[in-house]
Amino acid sequence: MAKESGIKLIANNKKAYHDYFIEETYEAGIELVGTEVKSLRMGKCSIKESFVDIEDGEVFVQRMNISPYEKGNIFNKDPLRKRKLLLHKYEINKLIGKQQQKGYTIVPLKVYFKDSRVKVEIGLAKGKKLYDKRQDIANKDVKREAERDFKVRNLG
């Protein structure tokens, strides 16, 4: 059998890019049970409300919602349970050091399949202030207007 290659996106956290400056990203594996993987294959996952927590040198993602698999009956787990992320020890130590600095947090950015394995991209983030968000929105508007003008000039 040919091995499935490439990346298939399951869930994306656009709100994280709006609320935080993402300084570093890490790719982590995630510890799941069988019915959760089947549910992810159907695309039933949400990471909008989730966050990453470090306890006793282990990294966990909290409030990541993986809907129960319809045909899973007794094997289904709690959809909002905390799930362990799989990272190298040096990456965990680096995250612990950065998280202890004021203003830093760790947020999940994407959940995707990479060569039939479920991966979570987490980002080391620093919170944006209200004026930063307004500046980002203004920059997007300027960029959108410029693209619209460029498109109109090229069509005419």
Side-chain angles (χ1 to χ4, degrees):
M1 273 179 62
K3 203 172 181 188
E4 184 184 320
S5 64
I7 293 174
K8 182 185 173 221
L9 188 66
I10 301 167
N12 197 359
N13 191 356
K14 293 180 183 176
K15 192 170 172 29
Y17 290 100
H18 183 262
D19 292 340
Y20 301 102
F21 291 114
I22 308 299
E23 297 193 359
E24 292 180 44
T25 59
Y26 297 91
E27 182 181 74
I30 186 168
E31 206 173 78
L32 298 170
V33 294
T35 55
E36 289 177 328
V37 176
K38 290 179 180 183
S39 186
L40 285 173
R41 289 209 184 279
M42 295 170 64
K44 301 202 174 177
C45 178
S46 173
I47 56 173
K48 284 184 176 68
E49 303 285 318
S50 61
F51 63 94
V52 177
D53 197 20
I54 300 175
E55 300 171 10
D56 300 326
E58 293 183 328
V59 183
F60 295 94
V61 64
Q62 310 252 5
R63 289 197 219 142
M64 179 174 147
N65 187 2
I66 298 178
S67 301
Y69 183 59
E70 290 127 20
K71 299 172 186 148
N73 57 41
I74 62 167
F75 299 107
N76 282 332
K77 300 283 187 203
D78 177 30
L80 293 174
R81 74 182 181 91
K82 71 178 185 180
R83 296 170 178 92
K84 185 176 178 181
L85 294 179
L86 310 171
L87 288 162
H88 291 284
K89 196 70 177 172
Y90 69 90
E91 290 175 324
I92 294 171
N93 290 336
K94 196 172 182 183
L95 285 173
I96 289 171
K98 287 284 193 174
Q99 191 180 32
Q100 287 171 348
Q101 292 180 15
K102 190 172 192 279
Y104 281 100
T105 187
I106 306 167
V107 291
L109 302 173
K110 293 179 193 170
V111 179
Y112 55 92
F113 281 105
K114 183 177 179 184
D115 296 328
S116 77
R117 297 187 192 281
V118 180
K119 300 287 184 181
V120 179
E121 184 177 284
I122 59 174
L124 185 66
K126 193 171 185 108
K128 283 186 182 177
K129 304 282 188 239
L130 183 61
Y131 57 84
D132 291 328
K133 292 179 190 177
R134 287 183 184 148
Q135 187 64 40
D136 281 354
I137 292 169
N139 289 342
K140 283 182 187 176
D141 287 343
V142 169
K143 187 176 177 183
R144 193 179 306 118
E145 287 293 326
E147 285 177 2
R148 191 176 295 140
D149 291 344
F150 183 72
K151 188 175 182 182
V152 168
R153 266 189 263 128
N154 285 344
L155 290 175

